């Protein structure tokens, strides 16, 4: 009942091992690509956050430096 494994692998087993190897390589490349994109996104988010915070600080400084607008008074229509 028990058979010895042949010394030479069959063409099917060679094809199967090649597919597994290629799938593993593609998986590793895909994971590296996903990680690279995630790093790029985080870098861009940090850049945009810094720009937004700088703009908000400049707006606050401008608001503090400028005088408060005076309230407008309503003009009354003359009665006829």
């Amino acid at each position: 009942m028990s058979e010895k494994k042949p010394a030479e692998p069959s063409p099917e087993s060679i094809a199967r091992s090649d597919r597994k190897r290629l799938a593993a390589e593609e998986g590793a490349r895909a994971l590296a690509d996903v990680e690279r994109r995630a790093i790029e996104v985080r870098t861009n988010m940090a850049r945009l956050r810094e720009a937004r915070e700088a703009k908000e600080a400049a707006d606050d400084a401008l608001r503090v430096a400028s005088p408060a607008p005076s309230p407008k008074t309503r003009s009354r229509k003359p009665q006829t």
Side-chain angles (χ1 to χ4, degrees), residues 6-19:
E8 302 254 340
S10 68
E12 292 85 17
S13 66
I14 292 172
R16 187 179 320 116
S17 66
D18 284 344
R19 283 194 306 270

Side-chain angles (χ1 to χ4, degrees), residues 1-76:
M1 288 255 241
S2 64
E3 298 180 21
K4 284 188 169 184
K5 288 189 173 183
E8 302 254 340
S10 68
E12 292 85 17
S13 66
I14 292 172
R16 187 179 320 116
S17 66
D18 284 344
R19 283 194 306 270
K20 283 184 177 182
R21 180 182 52 78
L22 287 174
E25 290 173 1
E26 288 176 9
R29 274 194 300 263
L31 286 175
D33 187 44
V34 166
E35 186 61 29
R36 181 184 54 79
R37 287 184 184 179
I39 290 170
E40 290 173 356
V41 166
R42 286 193 299 268
T43 303
N44 192 36
M45 286 173 54
R47 180 186 62 82
L48 292 173
R49 183 181 308 114
E50 288 174 7
R52 185 191 74 233
E53 289 172 352
K55 182 183 180 307
E56 288 173 351
D59 289 347
D60 288 343
L62 183 63
R63 188 174 18 254
V64 169
S66 65
S70 60
K72 295 185 178 180
T73 59
R74 291 185 168 194
S75 61
R76 300 185 78 168

